[in-house]
Amino acid sequence: MTTRQQPSAPPSHAPHGHSHSHGPAAPVSRHLRKVIAAVLIPFSVAVVVGLAVLWPGGAPPHERSGVGFDRQTQQATVTRVEKVDCSSVHAQGQSSTGDPTAQQGTTGEQKTSGTCENATIRIDSGKDKGRTFTEVVQPDSPRQLHEGQKVIAAYAPDAPKDLQYSVTDVNRKVPMVLLAGIFALAVVVVGRMRGVMALVALAVSFMVLTFFILPAILQGSNPLVVAVVGASAIMLIALYMCHGLTARTSVAVLGTLVSLLLIGLLGSLFIGWAALTGNTDDNTGLIHGLYPDIDMSGLLLAGVIIGSLGVLDDVTVTQTSAVWELHEANPTLGRRALYRAAIRIGRDHIASVVNTLVLAYAGAALPLLLLFSIAQSSVTDVANSELVAEEIVRTLVGSIGLVASVPVTTALAALVVSADRPETHGDHPETLEPATAAPAPGRGGGGRRRKR
């Protein structure tokens, strides 16, 4: 009886002995730590070198075109709104707006009947602070103004003085900041310290995107190289910051890296094969017009890589944790048994994640799909158009990377855990706390001797 109980004591004590620094996972042997470090340290050094070499000095300056987002804007407030007859407004020769994009409800032909609104707008920032201008709002305009409303006014210096300012959008800073605060509070309340670290990692990711990826692309660096370096930096910072500097996290990093490489290769192949230019709408056209040296197809591929990274992190971390937890629940499971058990979890994850990814892209492209439906285009014609083909390639390449990440990460985690088992069990007397090791049946004297 006593001899049967002795072998089972170390596994039952192992989670307690390592719960402070490793969570439920058992420690990893020195040999495996060296193997993981031999892969990740050169990779991390390469990322740091890439950041240093490609780091931009800021976005290059350019003359504003006055088109789309490339306009000077100021904060403004609606101070008064009066109801006026539309026919009298047009009879006086007043323009309904100084910005042709503001009146999206009209089709270039202004209404001459009905009740319009004559809004007085005060500029609240910039050199013309305090200046007022008048905006006429058509009755069918999608954006109706009201007194006290905060708005964004575009400035066109070359236009006549009365038409230099026009309302282009509503100022949404207050609700957006409030929503961000509610999100941060929910993450911290539920996630506690991990939630705090996740928010810090999110902030760092935005900093890498804002201060490195975007300016480096604008500066003329290869978008694909910039995206790979930037995404790798985000991956290393986010995963280790959120989940700790452990072997479990390192396996998730390796699985994510392999999947990103696969996405990059497939994306490059099919974007070139399908002759996708990446220049499909007004925004990309404006970018190409302002910075003609930017490789737009490379920019498209960079977007695919960065867009897939967030979901990849989720999948690889989940699969790695599943393997570790299965090993802790049953330390006798071998490499194949661990893989088979964890891959069953991964199949459920694949089904939900792929469906989520496809629906996310379909939701973003819903207005475009609606236009094709109105035009009664066939499914073949819709899929063949570059606008939709870009989304199809983006979705399918990203989904293939996600699907591949499950078996790759699961196999890596099972290999690491199963290879680590013999050495981990042999090292248990050294890793257990004295108070934990002492009560082992038949080893009281041995425990006391180790204590001394």
mmCIF file of all heavy atoms in Angstrom, residues 56 59 203-216:
data_model
loop_
_atom_site.group_PDB
_atom_site.id
_atom_site.type_symbol
_atom_site.label_atom_id
_atom_site.label_comp_id
_atom_site.label_asym_id
_atom_site.label_seq_id
_atom_site.Cartn_x
_atom_site.Cartn_y
_atom_site.Cartn_z
ATOM 1 N N PRO A 56 11.237 54.907 -38.907
ATOM 2 C CA PRO A 56 11.115 56.149 -39.681
ATOM 3 C C PRO A 56 11.342 57.379 -38.811
ATOM 4 O O PRO A 56 11.256 57.322 -37.585
ATOM 5 C CB PRO A 56 9.670 56.108 -40.183
ATOM 6 C CG PRO A 56 8.946 55.376 -39.092
ATOM 7 C CD PRO A 56 9.930 54.379 -38.506
ATOM 8 N N ALA A 59 6.200 60.652 -40.529
ATOM 9 C CA ALA A 59 5.590 60.635 -41.856
ATOM 10 C C ALA A 59 6.130 61.788 -42.697
ATOM 11 O O ALA A 59 6.229 62.921 -42.205
ATOM 12 C CB ALA A 59 4.075 60.728 -41.744
ATOM 13 N N ALA A 203 -2.173 49.108 -25.845
ATOM 14 C CA ALA A 203 -1.612 50.444 -26.065
ATOM 15 C C ALA A 203 -0.274 50.370 -26.802
ATOM 16 O O ALA A 203 -0.006 51.159 -27.715
ATOM 17 C CB ALA A 203 -1.446 51.164 -24.722
ATOM 18 N N VAL A 204 0.563 49.406 -26.421
ATOM 19 C CA VAL A 204 1.854 49.240 -27.093
ATOM 20 C C VAL A 204 1.652 48.851 -28.557
ATOM 21 O O VAL A 204 2.363 49.331 -29.449
ATOM 22 C CB VAL A 204 2.702 48.179 -26.367
ATOM 23 C CG1 VAL A 204 3.961 47.863 -27.157
ATOM 24 C CG2 VAL A 204 3.079 48.674 -24.972
ATOM 25 N N SER A 205 0.662 48.004 -28.828
ATOM 26 C CA SER A 205 0.374 47.595 -30.204
ATOM 27 C C SER A 205 -0.010 48.801 -31.053
ATOM 28 O O SER A 205 0.453 48.951 -32.191
ATOM 29 C CB SER A 205 -0.759 46.558 -30.221
ATOM 30 O OG SER A 205 -0.398 45.399 -29.504
ATOM 31 N N PHE A 206 -0.848 49.676 -30.506
ATOM 32 C CA PHE A 206 -1.239 50.881 -31.230
ATOM 33 C C PHE A 206 -0.041 51.808 -31.446
ATOM 34 O O PHE A 206 0.064 52.468 -32.479
ATOM 35 C CB PHE A 206 -2.350 51.617 -30.480
ATOM 36 C CG PHE A 206 -3.728 51.154 -30.851
ATOM 37 C CD1 PHE A 206 -4.485 50.412 -29.961
ATOM 38 C CD2 PHE A 206 -4.257 51.448 -32.092
ATOM 39 C CE1 PHE A 206 -5.748 49.968 -30.304
ATOM 40 C CE2 PHE A 206 -5.523 51.015 -32.455
ATOM 41 C CZ PHE A 206 -6.289 50.276 -31.555
ATOM 42 N N MET A 207 0.855 51.851 -30.469
ATOM 43 C CA MET A 207 2.047 52.685 -30.626
ATOM 44 C C MET A 207 2.941 52.148 -31.742
ATOM 45 O O MET A 207 3.472 52.929 -32.547
ATOM 46 C CB MET A 207 2.821 52.729 -29.298
ATOM 47 C CG MET A 207 2.130 53.531 -28.207
ATOM 48 S SD MET A 207 3.012 53.446 -26.632
ATOM 49 C CE MET A 207 4.551 54.243 -27.066
ATOM 50 N N VAL A 208 3.121 50.826 -31.802
ATOM 51 C CA VAL A 208 3.922 50.239 -32.879
ATOM 52 C C VAL A 208 3.277 50.537 -34.228
ATOM 53 O O VAL A 208 3.957 50.897 -35.199
ATOM 54 C CB VAL A 208 4.072 48.719 -32.675
ATOM 55 C CG1 VAL A 208 4.740 48.073 -33.894
ATOM 56 C CG2 VAL A 208 4.880 48.424 -31.421
ATOM 57 N N LEU A 209 1.950 50.416 -34.285
ATOM 58 C CA LEU A 209 1.239 50.689 -35.538
ATOM 59 C C LEU A 209 1.355 52.153 -35.942
ATOM 60 O O LEU A 209 1.604 52.478 -37.111
ATOM 61 C CB LEU A 209 -0.236 50.303 -35.366
ATOM 62 C CG LEU A 209 -1.131 50.418 -36.600
ATOM 63 C CD1 LEU A 209 -0.697 49.436 -37.674
ATOM 64 C CD2 LEU A 209 -2.594 50.198 -36.226
ATOM 65 N N THR A 210 1.205 53.059 -34.958
ATOM 66 C CA THR A 210 1.165 54.491 -35.243
ATOM 67 C C THR A 210 2.547 55.072 -35.499
ATOM 68 O O THR A 210 2.732 55.892 -36.411
ATOM 69 C CB THR A 210 0.501 55.245 -34.072
ATOM 70 O OG1 THR A 210 -0.797 54.686 -33.846
ATOM 71 C CG2 THR A 210 0.372 56.724 -34.382
ATOM 72 N N PHE A 211 3.529 54.667 -34.690
ATOM 73 C CA PHE A 211 4.849 55.288 -34.764
ATOM 74 C C PHE A 211 5.855 54.527 -35.621
ATOM 75 O O PHE A 211 6.910 55.067 -35.942
ATOM 76 C CB PHE A 211 5.425 55.487 -33.359
ATOM 77 C CG PHE A 211 4.638 56.443 -32.528
ATOM 78 C CD1 PHE A 211 3.838 55.998 -31.492
ATOM 79 C CD2 PHE A 211 4.661 57.811 -32.795
ATOM 80 C CE1 PHE A 211 3.099 56.881 -30.727
ATOM 81 C CE2 PHE A 211 3.925 58.699 -32.030
ATOM 82 C CZ PHE A 211 3.140 58.234 -31.000
ATOM 83 N N PHE A 212 5.541 53.274 -35.971
ATOM 84 C CA PHE A 212 6.477 52.516 -36.791
ATOM 85 C C PHE A 212 5.874 52.085 -38.127
ATOM 86 O O PHE A 212 6.349 52.489 -39.196
ATOM 87 C CB PHE A 212 6.987 51.286 -36.039
ATOM 88 C CG PHE A 212 7.802 50.364 -36.902
ATOM 89 C CD1 PHE A 212 9.059 50.748 -37.358
ATOM 90 C CD2 PHE A 212 7.305 49.127 -37.300
ATOM 91 C CE1 PHE A 212 9.805 49.917 -38.188
ATOM 92 C CE2 PHE A 212 8.042 48.287 -38.120
ATOM 93 C CZ PHE A 212 9.305 48.685 -38.563
ATOM 94 N N ILE A 213 4.814 51.279 -38.092
ATOM 95 C CA ILE A 213 4.308 50.665 -39.317
ATOM 96 C C ILE A 213 3.821 51.706 -40.321
ATOM 97 O O ILE A 213 4.261 51.726 -41.482
ATOM 98 C CB ILE A 213 3.187 49.656 -38.986
ATOM 99 C CG1 ILE A 213 3.756 48.486 -38.168
ATOM 100 C CG2 ILE A 213 2.536 49.142 -40.263
ATOM 101 C CD1 ILE A 213 2.719 47.463 -37.737
ATOM 102 N N LEU A 214 2.936 52.593 -39.893
ATOM 103 C CA LEU A 214 2.361 53.569 -40.832
ATOM 104 C C LEU A 214 3.401 54.555 -41.366
ATOM 105 O O LEU A 214 3.510 54.741 -42.586
ATOM 106 C CB LEU A 214 1.194 54.303 -40.165
ATOM 107 C CG LEU A 214 0.011 53.415 -39.736
ATOM 108 C CD1 LEU A 214 -1.082 54.253 -39.091
ATOM 109 C CD2 LEU A 214 -0.547 52.648 -40.928
ATOM 110 N N PRO A 215 4.207 55.204 -40.496
ATOM 111 C CA PRO A 215 5.215 56.130 -41.049
ATOM 112 C C PRO A 215 6.263 55.439 -41.911
ATOM 113 O O PRO A 215 6.726 56.017 -42.900
ATOM 114 C CB PRO A 215 5.859 56.737 -39.788
ATOM 115 C CG PRO A 215 4.867 56.536 -38.699
ATOM 116 C CD PRO A 215 4.183 55.247 -39.024
ATOM 117 N N ALA A 216 6.650 54.201 -41.550
ATOM 118 C CA ALA A 216 7.658 53.498 -42.345
ATOM 119 C C ALA A 216 7.146 53.192 -43.746
ATOM 120 O O ALA A 216 7.878 53.303 -44.733
ATOM 121 C CB ALA A 216 8.076 52.203 -41.642
#
